[in-house]
Every structure is written in structure tokens, then in C-alpha cells.
Amino acid sequence: MTARDLHADIGDTLVSEERIAARVAELGARISEDFAGRRLTLVSVLKGSLPFMADLMRAISIPVRIDLMEVSSYGGAATESSGLVRILKDLSASIEGEDVLIVEDIIDTGLTLNYLVRYLRGKNPASLGICTLLDKPARRLVDINVNYTGFTIPDQFVVGYGLDYNELYRNLRYVGVLKPEVYAVPE
Ligand code: PRP
């Protein structure tokens, strides 16, 4: 696949590079204010949150620690409702007594975060919040209390700026809607 093909698979641009940059700057400024004088740790949930995390941490002006987790949900309809999540990479340092902000690229059903919040609460942070670039509330199966949201988006198949389809498109600088023919299964 060439670089041209990558863009050719995208229909509408849902959130442009410029809008992402402006919103990330706003979120960074708000987080810096809200956590001034406290001990903030950003926990990025790989892989999708990688570009957002990289930009958000540099938009924050107070000292922060970072840590990385990687999780994957078990596939299949039965497990979707159970919300079982497998931890592929765990935290590398204790978060006990720390203010922790989970950094996500998208909240869809909410099952991943529902699991992660319970898991991280068990590690006794001083506080635990959520910052997500995208929120797709139409697909929510469990209530999630989100502290910082970049953009609320409709129920469309989006890729780019970290979000993938079959592990591709993560390196697009914007969030776009994947053309249906790209993921349509041939009859
Ligand atoms: C995506 C995204 C969230 C989760 C959201 O991760 O990064 O972690 O799905 O979906 P949910 O609200 O329905 O649980 P994915 O499992 O695709 O892994 P990735 O970040 O490595 O692409």
C-alpha cells in the first residue's frame, strides 16, 4: 500500500489535523490548571492513544510522569458483553497516592475503560480520571464518567491519528471515515 492509497481509502475527514491540534492545546491547558501543584501521572492505553498521548503530554505545562499500558479485548460477541480485557503490558511503576489520568483515543462501548478503571482503582491512586480524544456515545454499553473529551463523534467507522483498521491507518494525521468498500466483506 502506498501513501496515496492510504488517503484514498478515506471518505470524509471527521476531525482535521488543525482541529485536533487546537483541541489538544485546550485540553493540555485545562489539565495543567486542574492539576497544578499535584502529582500527575498520565497512563496511555496503547496502541491507539499513542499520537494523542505524545501531543497531549507536550501541551501540559506542569511536571507529569507517564506510564504505558496495552490491553486487548477478547474477540467475539459473547465476550463483548462480559467486557473481559487482557492486559498485554502492565504499568511499570506504582501509582499509589498519585493523581492518575487515563489517556485514550476513543470510547466506544466503554467496556475497556470500565475494566481499566476498576483495575487501576485497585492500585490506590489518589484520584483517577479519564481523558479521551474521541467519544462515540451511541455505542455505549456501560456508563463511563469522562473528565476530558476532545470530540464527540457519530457512530461511524473512523481511523487515523492512532485509530486503526487491521492495524493500518494509525499514522494519518487526521481522523477520517473509512470508505465502506474498504472493510466490506465480499459476497
Ligand atoms: C480501542 C480503543 C479503546 C477501545 C475502546 O482499542 O483504543 O481502548 O478500543 O473500545 P470500547 O469502549 O468498546 O472498549 P483496541 O482494542 O482497538 O486496541 P488499539 O488501541 O491497540 O487499537
Side-chain angles (χ1 to χ4, degrees), residues 79-136:
T79 47
E80 243 209 17
S81 55
S82 74
L84 271 179
V85 171
R86 190 158 40 126
I87 295 180
L88 303 178
K89 188 214 167 298
D90 206 340
L91 294 174
S92 57
S94 166
I95 54 167
E96 189 166 350
E98 303 286 331
D99 290 309
V100 174
L101 206 48
I102 303 173
V103 178
E104 260 290 21
D105 53 335
I106 188 165
I107 308 178
D108 201 341
T109 63
L111 292 173
T112 303
L113 273 174
N114 189 49
Y115 173 87
L116 262 183
V117 163
R118 277 182 288 138
Y119 177 77
L120 293 176
R121 272 211 190 108
K123 297 184 177 289
N124 300 316
S127 69
L128 185 61
I130 293 170
C131 177
T132 187
L133 178 72
L134 304 174
D135 186 6
K136 205 190 258 187

Side-chain angles (χ1 to χ4, degrees), residues 10-17 174-177:
I10 310 300
D12 292 339
T13 298
L14 200 60
V15 193
S16 69
E17 184 179 354
Y174 54 89
V175 174
V177 181

Side-chain angles (χ1 to χ4, degrees), residues 9-11 136 155-159 164-166 169 176-186:
D9 288 348
I10 310 300
K136 205 190 258 187
D155 188 10
Q156 289 177 304
F157 201 127
V158 291
V159 294
D164 75 307
Y165 169 64
N166 275 350
Y169 307 99
V177 181
L178 197 62
K179 287 180 180 167
E181 60 262 35
V182 178
Y183 56 86
V185 183

Side-chain angles (χ1 to χ4, degrees), residues 31-43 60 62-67 93-102 124-129:
I31 291 167
S32 305
E33 254 179 60
D34 293 352
F35 289 91
R38 290 158 64 184
R39 292 170 55 91
L40 180 59
T41 301
L42 302 174
V43 174
I60 293 175
I62 60 168
V64 289
R65 290 171 179 74
I66 65 163
D67 211 333
S94 166
I95 54 167
E96 189 166 350
E98 303 286 331
D99 290 309
V100 174
L101 206 48
I102 303 173
N124 300 316
S127 69
L128 185 61

